[in-house]
Amino acid sequence: DGSKGLVPGAWLEKVGGVLGLGQDVDGRVRFHRAQAALLEPLAAEAGIKAPEELATLLRHLRHLAEPSPYTQPPGFHGELRPYQEVGVGWMRTLAMAGLGGGLAEEMGLGKTVRALAFLLSLETDPIANTAGPVLIVAPRSLLWNWASETTRFVPGRTLRIHHGPRRAHEAADIGSDDWV
């Protein structure tokens, strides 16, 4: 509210390090969403009630430790294994929190299939703003795998492979595809 006061030195010692992680924006300390877990103890120590947006984000972050499985969405042709359903639930929880993430594990465990189920789930049960085509960034060696898996597991969705020397000429057509 613009009022000023004295901050006890002991309190500043406890929270000063965390405050240093924020950025000064128009005279206020601002934090990135990914730093939310750092702010909870800071708010509790200072006796400050966390804003509802922070409280909601923290609930999502706690849920990431044991995400709820998400059964395959309508229109998905295939069967997700239990660990894959948990992976889709994890990605959906990240999306609800407004955060991104990456699947990184051994080959052959179905990362592409989980990503396809997740993308399809956003269409049938939206939790994030996904206006326009979704951009998928993949190594060149996996482009044709993505095309094959899309046709197999989510027929009816268009995946544009935007690669190669003609991609600059085809860029104007991207808006008509579901995924790029």
Side-chain angles (χ1 to χ4, degrees):
D1 65 357
S3 62
K4 297 180 181 181
L6 297 175
V7 176
W11 181 85
L12 193 55
E13 283 180 26
K14 289 181 183 179
V15 299
V18 175
L19 287 174
L21 297 174
Q23 292 185 340
D24 182 348
V25 178
D26 297 328
R28 294 175 180 251
V29 179
R30 298 287 183 202
F31 296 88
H32 188 274
R33 296 179 67 77
Q35 296 173 306
L38 298 171
L39 300 179
E40 185 179 35
L42 172 65
E45 180 68 32
I48 299 170
K49 184 178 183 287
E52 186 55 37
E53 181 183 2
L54 176 60
T56 300
L57 177 58
L58 290 169
R59 278 193 299 275
H60 289 306
L61 291 176
R62 282 188 207 97
H63 189 65
L64 283 173
E66 292 185 38
S68 300
Y70 186 84
T71 57
Q72 54 203 43
F76 185 82
H77 294 244
E79 189 173 330
L80 294 175
R81 296 181 177 120
Y83 72 90
Q84 291 172 323
E85 291 178 347
V86 170
V88 174
W90 177 77
M91 289 188 280
R92 288 182 56 81
T93 302
L94 283 172
M96 284 187 274
L99 299 171
L103 292 172
E105 61 194 13
E106 294 178 26
M107 290 177 56
L109 295 178
K111 293 178 292 297
T112 304
V113 170
R114 276 180 277 177
L116 290 169
F118 167 69
L119 292 173
L120 189 59
S121 81
L122 295 178
E123 294 177 9
T124 57
D125 184 15
I127 53 172
N129 181 7
T130 55
V134 172
L135 177 65
I136 300 166
V137 179
R140 183 175 58 198
S141 61
L142 295 179
L143 296 179
W144 310 119
N145 180 63
W146 268 89
S148 172
E149 299 287 90
T150 299
T151 302
R152 179 178 171 194
F153 291 104
V154 285
R157 298 302 181 279
T158 57
L159 172 71
R160 174 182 295 270
I161 303 293
H162 189 61
H163 167 73
R166 301 249 341 123
R167 69 180 178 269
H169 301 289
E170 299 170 352
D173 298 331
I174 286 178
S176 63
D177 299 295
D178 297 314
W179 304 330
V180 178

